[in-house]
Amino acid sequence: TRSMEFKVIRLFVLLAATVKAQVNPEVCRYPLGMTGGQIQDEDISASSYWSESTAAKFGRLDIGGGDGAWCPDIMSEPHGLKEYLQVDLRSLHFITLVGTQGRHADGMGNEFAQKYRIKYSRDGSNWVSWQDRKGQQVIEGNRNAYDVVLKDLEPPIIARYVRFMPVTDHSMIVCMRVELYGCEWLDGLVSYRFVSFFSSDDLTDGTWGLDDFLHSQIYGVWPGYDYVGWSNRTFPKGYVEMIFDFDHVRNFTSMKVHTSNMFSRGVRVFRQVTCFFWSDSEWEPGPITFRPTPDRVSQRARFVTVTLGDRTAKTIKCRFHFSDVWMLFSEVAFQSGSAVYNTSMGPGKHPKNPLTVDDPTHKVDDSNTRILIGCLVAVIAILSAIIVIMLWRQVWQKMLEKASRRLLDDDLTARLAIQNRAFAFRHSSLSSDSGSTSNSTYERIYPLCADYQEPSRLIRKLPEFAHSAENLSKPHTSGSDGAPHYAEADIISLQESSDGSIAAANMTPFTGTDSSLREFPREKLSFKEKLGEGQFGEVHLCEAEGMQDFLDEDLSVGEISESLLLVAVKTLREDANKNARNDFLKEIRIMSRLRDPNIVRLLAVCVDTDPLWMITEYMENGDLNQFLCNLRLKEAPDEDKPDYTKLISMAAQIASGMKYLSSLNFVHRDLATRNCLVGKNYTIRIADFGMSRNLYKGDYYRIQGRAVLPIRWMSWESILLGKFTMASDVWAFGVTLWEILTLCKEQPYSQLSDEQVIENTGEFFRDKGKQVYLPKPPCCPDSVYNDLMLSCWRRNAKQRPSFQEIHAQLQENMSA
Ligand code: ADP
């Protein structure tokens, strides 16, 4: 057997039931951020690298950078077998899938790892080699330098650190780019855990060994596979000591050991077990000792239950004493009440482990019928739990649908359907925790569009854009199973919809022609200075020669001095991946169709060749947030400081731009001062139709490392129901108006953490008068605060004013 040589076995205990309750391995397959960038460069390291340009940070799947991949210096190490690329995920993750790729570097490279192994660790010091259920460690890797090869990790792993170790004969240079897929491993939401281990190398699979340990439940493995065994000859003290480390302190009710008792072959249940508990800094006095009644009759494998008397510990050390030559275990299970999260069950009333028969008298359970009954009861309990969860889910779904139908406008129904599904999934995975506590609620209230949660998944489904401007102008739809993506969807669906809603408004939906999508000769742009940095790349101030030939007559951008025009050129970073590229093209498509004095204008594009550029009108004073901040910081003389009327006029311009967008039924979704640009004389244009968030990272909230959301600007229904409508844009306008009138002195709700902001959203939903509103800015008249600002944050979306009304009200206010 595999672990006889270990005298002391230190085990990291996997919480199998928790994993099953919280993680659905079929869904838990999100890219964890090598490609997407959520994993930072400093969290990617390697045993060695060939050169600076093939350092660890270039080992990102689909990206590469540098010379195209991570390549170890295999010559530095005689067998080239210990080289690794290490990813630190910063917290425990449930990892179900890995992807690898070689070094292509646009045809310059041709190195890849045909085989590799994986090691993983939870603390960075104890490393475990991954192996499949047959004990196979080597994974088939790549066959060429460019294709991504995905490998399902069966069994999946729970780890913080993962190492990819190319297996190679050292004459060959190998290079790798990798991605990990899975999800964050959330802990502490269920009240008790069923813990099992399988062998000293940290494998949990929930399979019990059969009575005859020489047979296995898994086909095609060696005899004894299901068991871990020890012989008393290698343990002179007469006992095997195991240490179980848990992720945090818990109250332990009991431990169950599944053990063989094949005494005809010298295997018996342990004679005695003594468990010690470590909570803070020492082993507590008073270990628990338990002696199972010896069974000399039945050779059946069985669970032995050891009551742990609700002892608190983070680490448990148990000494199992031999009663024969061999001890063979197939599982050790712990039942615990969480010391951190208290659920509806009172102390000491921990539910019985549904999978086994509990035996409070500590007797070895040897009766066939009892096991059978136990199993049946367990199956029934599990089935009823599933039914209850499903019913509960349906009720919830109905309630939510009703609530949202009653309270909100009924547009975007297609999106809602998707959200409900998303919500149902989230809800089912968390419904066991009905007594919500402040630190756990926000996890469950994210029923957002799949596309908003993880845009990259959807973008991949969109047809690949051709690079020509001609193709850019064609509308695209998402795949049949995908939701329309972000704001673009509204434009596209509108454009394609033949129903009368737009016609009734007597507006051509897209007054903008695609002339702005014409290719501008790059060589006629000369760079002047960098204006800022966006999500996609830099924004530069440029002089454009001959731009006026490109502009329609209606355009009044700046003064066209002879043939030179100042423009802003937004660039796509050269190393941008496909997703960023698609986002960039999408923003171009959206902007090309919008035309309004208060919407930033796209003038032309350079997309025929890389790098991609979009040319927009230049707004001398940058974004409104910076502009207001600077005014405040400058302590400028009075004439420079915007007076109240000027502030209101800026807000009115935003309202006017939004009025235009609402006439197209276009939902912006990210209205905020940071996304408005300021030109001469306090002219304002709304910008940012992509998902651009770099400089203002702090304004966005990251859900489990994936979606980023501007929660402080979002209406309660956008956060809780994933519903984005004109009315939620109105909510964001209220926050934007608040920013303007406070001169962007502080972030909205700056005294609240992100989690508290979401809690507050829950208060808006519950409407018990406990919700917190942004306070009245000092310069804001009572009437504006009460009649306008607060009305934008009304719970009932239908009661919020329209942009038309807001605009009229602001204009009235200016002239008053
Ligand atoms: P992000 O992607 O972070 O939203 P953008 O790429 O739109 O940002 O722009 C980054 C910064 O560049 C803005 O915050 C702004 O200061 C500046 N900028 C962008 N577009 C213009 C423009 N048309 N005129 C002047 N400055 C601009």
Side-chain angles (χ1 to χ4, degrees):
T1 49
R2 288 173 282 171
S3 49
M4 277 189 295
E5 63 279 17
F6 296 115
K7 292 267 155 60
V8 174
I9 298 148
R10 180 164 274 263
L11 298 163
F12 284 89
V13 176
L14 296 187
L15 305 173
T18 314
V19 170
K20 278 170 198 151
Q22 295 181 3
V23 177
N24 175 351
E26 272 150 39
V27 177
C28 171
R29 292 164 80 88
Y30 304 104
L32 295 180
M34 288 295 278
T35 306
Q38 294 92 331
I39 297 171
Q40 304 289 312
D41 281 350
E42 65 259 29
D43 292 331
I44 311 172
S45 56
S47 53
S48 72
Y49 44 86
W50 188 248
S51 65
E52 282 297 332
S53 54
T54 58
K57 64 178 176 189
F58 300 119
R60 295 174 183 272
L61 193 100
D62 266 341
I63 294 195
D67 273 345
W70 163 72
C71 312
D73 179 9
I74 48 163
M75 301 302 174
S76 72
E77 207 270 322
H79 302 293
L81 280 173
K82 299 243 164 64
E83 300 301 333
Y84 60 79
L85 175 66
Q86 177 176 318
V87 181
D88 176 359
L89 296 167
R90 293 281 172 155
S91 61
L92 289 186
H93 280 70
F94 189 71
I95 302 161
T96 52
L97 184 71
V98 291
T100 58
Q101 204 179 13
R103 185 180 88 93
H104 184 54
D106 292 329
M108 305 292 285
N110 190 28
E111 298 81 14
F112 50 92
Q114 292 189 358
K115 292 182 170 140
Y116 65 99
R117 289 185 302 133
I118 280 184
K119 276 197 172 192
Y120 61 99
S121 169
R122 268 166 241 162
D123 58 0
S125 58
N126 292 285
W127 289 89
V128 175
S129 297
W130 178 85
Q131 56 182 47
D132 67 14
R133 296 207 191 274
K134 295 190 177 180
Q136 194 54 247
Q137 291 190 357
V138 175
I139 300 172
E140 287 296 322
N142 298 93
R143 302 234 155 261
N144 58 47
Y146 40 89
D147 283 333
V148 176
V149 173
L150 296 173
K151 165 76 187 170
D152 270 299
L153 291 184
E154 187 53 51
I157 58 179
I158 298 172
R160 172 177 162 176
Y161 304 89
V162 179
R163 284 179 179 171
F164 290 82
M165 308 179 71
V167 175
T168 165
D169 91 61
H170 57 280
S171 61
M172 259 178 63
I173 296 179
V174 288
C175 300
M176 288 184 95
R177 288 179 282 167
V178 304
E179 178 65 284
L180 295 156
Y181 303 83
C183 51
E184 195 161 6
W185 185 62
L186 301 169
D187 183 26
L189 282 168
V190 289
S191 63
Y192 74 102
R193 285 117 210 297
F194 183 75
V195 182
S196 65
F197 82 101
F198 203 68
S199 74
S200 60
D201 61 1
D202 190 7
L203 185 64
T204 299
D205 66 359
T207 320
W208 300 327
L210 298 179
D211 293 337
D212 180 349
F213 60 86
L214 294 180
H215 293 104
S216 171
Q217 299 199 354
I218 297 168
Y219 176 75
V221 295
W222 61 89
Y225 175 89
D226 288 346
Y227 286 91
V228 185
W230 306 270
S231 154
N232 63 6
R233 271 171 241 136
T234 33
F235 291 84
K237 283 186 187 156
Y239 60 79
V240 176
E241 185 169 282
M242 293 184 204
I243 297 175
F244 304 92
D245 282 330
F246 294 84
D247 55 343
H248 62 79
V249 178
R250 293 158 200 279
N251 288 330
F252 289 93
T253 326
S254 64
M255 169 176 74
K256 288 164 194 289
V257 182
H258 192 254
T259 163
S260 163
N261 194 44
M262 271 221 123
F263 45 80
S264 60
R265 293 176 185 270
V267 184
R268 261 181 220 277
V269 173
F270 50 90
R271 177 172 55 79
Q272 170 188 320
V273 59
T274 304
C275 292
F276 302 79
F277 300 85
W278 178 288
S279 54
D280 290 330
S281 52
E282 53 178 6
W283 293 108
E284 287 178 358
I288 284 182
T289 296
F290 169 64
R291 284 186 199 88
T293 321
D295 183 350
R296 298 189 175 83
V297 183
S298 168
Q299 300 223 49
R300 296 208 151 268
R302 77 264 332 267
F303 271 103
V304 179
T305 305
V306 182
T307 301
L308 299 178
D310 276 330
R311 292 284 290 265
T312 310
K314 187 168 183 296
T315 300
I316 299 181
K317 175 170 78 180
C318 292
R319 292 176 179 162
F320 295 89
H321 295 257
F322 290 92
S323 60
D324 208 322
V325 184
W326 286 92
M327 258 187 325
L328 290 185
F329 293 176
S330 80
E331 269 201 18
V332 175
F334 284 89
Q335 208 174 2
S336 81
S338 170
V340 176
Y341 293 86
N342 243 333
T343 64
S344 50
M345 283 159 292
K349 282 201 233 153
H350 301 294
K352 295 261 188 315
N353 187 332
L355 295 174
T356 58
V357 183
D358 244 77
D359 189 347
T361 60
H362 289 174
K363 268 211 226 125
V364 173
D365 184 4
D366 60 353
S367 136
N368 274 345
T369 19
R370 290 185 68 180
I371 291 178
L372 204 68
I373 291 170
C375 288
L376 280 174
V377 168
V379 168
I380 291 167
I382 290 168
L383 282 176
S384 4
I386 291 171
I387 291 168
V388 168
I389 288 170
M390 280 167 66
L391 287 174
W392 178 236
R393 208 172 79 170
Q394 275 183 354
V395 167
W396 247 99
Q397 227 168 307
K398 285 223 177 83
M399 265 166 55
L400 270 178
E401 261 170 49
K402 254 192 220 150
S404 53
R405 227 177 280 136
R406 205 175 53 238
L407 294 167
L408 305 164
D409 303 331
D410 257 342
D411 52 353
L412 297 178
T413 40
R415 197 174 284 140
L416 187 63
I418 292 153
Q419 286 136 19
N420 276 344
R421 242 179 289 138
F423 183 83
F425 164 65
R426 295 239 151 213
H427 184 68
S428 70
S429 65
L430 290 155
S431 57
S432 59
D433 177 31
S434 53
S436 57
T437 59
S438 61
N439 24 3
S440 62
T441 42
Y442 72 93
E443 305 280 14
R444 87 186 58 180
I445 52 175
Y446 262 100
L448 296 166
C449 271
D451 57 322
Y452 203 52
Q453 281 192 34
E454 212 200 336
S456 57
R457 266 187 303 165
L458 188 85
I459 294 163
R460 276 197 210 106
K461 286 187 206 145
L462 289 170
E464 181 73 45
F465 288 107
H467 297 176
S468 73
E470 195 181 276
N471 278 350
L472 273 170
S473 64
K474 284 186 201 145
H476 290 268
T477 45
S478 51
S480 57
D481 55 341
H485 179 65
Y486 204 59
E488 174 214 30
D490 303 280
I491 282 207
I492 290 166
S493 59
L494 259 177
Q495 210 175 25
E496 286 171 347
S497 93
S498 52
D499 82 81
S501 57
I502 297 158
N506 202 17
M507 292 279 290
T508 317
F510 299 99
T511 41
T513 65
D514 288 350
S515 65
S516 51
L517 287 178
R518 279 162 58 200
E519 181 77 12
F520 188 78
R522 274 171 211 278
E523 61 283 359
K524 294 198 174 163
L525 288 167
S526 54
F527 282 70
K528 300 240 116 191
E529 64 178 90
K530 184 171 148 183
L531 290 172
E533 193 140 353
Q535 179 210 14
F536 298 119
E538 294 178 344
V539 181
H540 292 269
L541 173 64
C542 291
E543 244 169 22
E545 195 192 321
M547 176 59 88
Q548 61 272 48
D549 302 339
F550 273 73
L551 303 180
D552 302 343
E553 285 109 50
D554 72 306
L555 201 73
S556 53
V557 216
E559 302 99 67
I560 300 175
S561 71
E562 285 112 51
S563 63
L564 289 181
L565 177 69
L566 285 177
V567 293
V569 176
K570 203 163 166 174
T571 62
L572 178 67
R573 213 176 291 116
E574 301 219 14
D575 61 356
N577 62 11
K578 263 189 223 146
N579 296 340
R581 194 185 170 90
N582 282 349
D583 273 347
F584 191 83
L585 293 171
K586 195 162 0 167
E587 186 167 8
I588 290 180
R589 278 202 286 148
I590 293 169
M591 285 178 69
S592 72
R593 294 184 172 85
L594 301 173
R595 194 152 300 183
D596 182 80
N598 297 111
I599 304 285
V600 79
R601 269 291 290 270
L602 179 71
L603 304 178
V605 293
C606 303
V607 292
D608 272 357
T609 53
D610 280 347
L612 305 185
W613 290 353
M614 69 170 99
I615 307 170
T616 64
E617 55 183 320
Y618 170 52
M619 301 294 283
E620 292 79 350
N621 287 305
D623 70 68
L624 180 57
N625 190 288
Q626 273 174 10
F627 177 73
L628 293 174
C629 267
N630 288 342
L631 281 180
R632 179 165 46 78
L633 293 175
K634 256 198 269 168
E635 294 286 342
D638 276 356
E639 64 271 21
D640 251 25
K641 260 195 176 164
D643 54 23
Y644 171 74
T645 323
K646 277 187 184 141
L647 294 179
I648 286 293
S649 103
M650 291 196 280
Q653 292 179 66
I654 298 174
S656 174
M658 291 306 295
K659 199 168 86 177
Y660 166 75
L661 293 183
S662 64
S663 73
L664 304 177
N665 269 341
F666 178 88
V667 181
H668 187 287
R669 295 188 181 209
D670 199 2
L671 183 59
T673 54
R674 63 181 171 275
N675 290 330
C676 297
L677 294 170
V678 188
K680 285 202 186 87
N681 300 325
Y682 297 96
T683 51
I684 304 283
R685 300 204 214 284
I686 300 166
D688 237 310
F689 298 90
M691 294 197 294
S692 320
R693 44 212 54 174
N694 222 4
L695 185 57
Y696 299 99
K697 250 186 212 151
D699 290 347
Y700 295 86
Y701 178 67
R702 193 170 276 281
I703 312 167
Q704 284 190 33
R706 290 196 301 280
V708 272
L709 298 174
I711 51 169
R712 288 162 202 271
W713 283 259
M714 278 164 73
S715 68
W716 70 266
E717 74 274 8
S718 301
I719 294 181
L720 296 184
L721 305 173
K723 207 166 156 109
F724 291 85
T725 59
M726 289 319 306
S728 58
D729 273 357
V730 166
W731 181 296
F733 177 83
V735 182
T736 309
L737 177 60
W738 181 89
E739 285 187 279
I740 294 173
L741 294 180
T742 54
L743 293 183
C744 296
K745 224 186 205 122
E746 53 185 273
Q747 219 192 15
Y749 314 100
S750 59
Q751 74 286 8
L752 301 186
S753 67
D754 284 346
E755 287 71 18
Q756 286 170 325
V757 169
I758 291 164
E759 275 292 296
N760 192 36
T761 303
E763 294 302 343
F764 271 102
F765 174 67
R766 286 186 280 276
D767 203 22
K768 292 263 156 52
K770 287 194 193 154
Q771 62 271 43
V772 179
Y773 292 88
L774 289 169
K776 184 176 85 64
C779 75
C780 179
D782 283 349
S783 60
V784 172
Y785 184 66
N786 294 327
D787 302 344
L788 184 56
M789 219 181 268
L790 287 180
S791 70
C792 295
W793 305 323
R794 286 191 183 135
R795 184 182 186 277
N796 186 342
K798 284 199 173 126
Q799 286 173 4
R800 292 175 205 154
S802 66
F803 278 113
Q804 199 136 15
E805 286 160 348
I806 293 173
H807 184 234
Q809 210 170 333
L810 286 170
Q811 282 202 315
E812 205 175 292
N813 200 274
M814 272 191 320
S815 52

